Amino acid sequence: MSHYKLAPSILAADYANFESELKRLEATGVEYIHIDVMDGHFVPNISFGADVVAAMRPHSKLVFDCHLMVSNPEHHIESFARAGADILTIHAEATQHIHGALQKIKAAGMKAGVVINPGTPIASIAHVLNLADQVLIMTVNPGFGGQAYIPEMAEKIAELAQLRDEKGLQFDIEVDGGIDNQTIHSAREAGANVFVAGSYLFRGDLDTNVQILKVALHD
Ligand code: DX5
Ligand code: ZN
């Protein structure tokens, strides 16, 4: 089985029909559902919170990959655990206590992810990598779907992959923002293995677009 995973972002789906959107995504054979939680404070936009995730949970067996773009994410760990999140990924920039917050995510029974914005260096998370099941490298500035992939992030992904090997760690490397049938190659070659895609997948035929990205990962 491939270690590559696709994580469609529900942010680009039809919000009035999450149940049918989840079924439609599941039928395409993707591995994760990427759920973007925005608080209007850490990022300028507001999306949805743990109650919406809880409402979606009975309608999908896929891995719920929750990306919290919220200030003080440590205040929301228990509510996302109760809502049925499988992976909880929090921004290093959003808390003064990233180490403790990652420990709390694991203690709550979820996989722990840490994410950094395009301007944040890998060095800022070097000492928490041992706690991470997943490290997310933002390839856009977070807040909105439909933005352009920042090509300079490939160097950062490669730096992270090298550090992971040096430390003998196993975490997944996820990328998020502007992933399409072109940019996915740059991210993969740099060392990413989990690919979030929103606007690319939902523009046109979802199933066709998923298959195009799957082919891109296997050619
Ligand atoms: C951006 C979000 C992304 C977004 C990706 O803040 O974290 O997950 O949904 O959307 P696209 O693929 O359109 O860049
Ligand atoms: Zn995201």
Side-chain angles (χ1 to χ4, degrees), residues 9 34-36 67 69 136 138 176 196:
S9 171
H34 185 80
I35 302 175
D36 287 307
H67 174 196
M69 286 161 272
L136 169 53
M138 290 308 300
D176 184 7
V196 177

Side-chain angles (χ1 to χ4, degrees), residues 12-143:
D14 176 359
Y15 295 2
N17 294 292
F18 276 143
E19 181 178 354
S20 57
E21 292 289 69
L22 287 166
K23 294 278 178 275
R24 206 156 76 92
L25 283 165
E26 203 148 344
T28 65
V30 296
E31 288 81 6
Y32 288 0
I33 300 292
H34 185 80
I35 302 175
D36 287 307
V37 176
M38 304 179 181
D39 67 350
H41 183 266
F42 180 69
V43 290
N45 199 8
I46 299 176
S47 60
F48 33 73
D51 289 348
V52 174
V53 176
M56 286 193 248
R57 186 70 278 185
H59 303 295
S60 176
K61 291 189 170 51
L62 292 177
V63 170
F64 276 13
D65 175 36
C66 295
H67 174 196
L68 295 198
M69 286 161 272
V70 307
S71 300
N72 300 315
E74 61 270 30
H75 297 166
H76 305 283
I77 292 168
E78 284 305 325
S79 60
F80 279 89
R82 279 196 303 274
D86 297 293
I87 307 172
L88 197 64
T89 299
I90 60 174
H91 274 266
E93 305 90 348
T95 172
Q96 300 200 328
H97 303 286
I98 187 66
H99 186 279
L102 291 170
Q103 287 180 317
K104 282 183 192 154
I105 292 172
K106 293 170 90 78
M110 296 175 286
K111 288 193 171 170
V114 60
V115 46
I116 51 175
N117 287 331
T120 303
I122 294 292
S124 67
I125 54 169
H127 299 286
V128 298
L129 291 176
N130 61 314
L131 294 173
D133 297 294
Q134 168 170 287
V135 179
L136 169 53
I137 300 296
M138 290 308 300
T139 44
V140 298
N141 287 291

Side-chain angles (χ1 to χ4, degrees), residues 3 8 208:
H3 70 303
T208 304

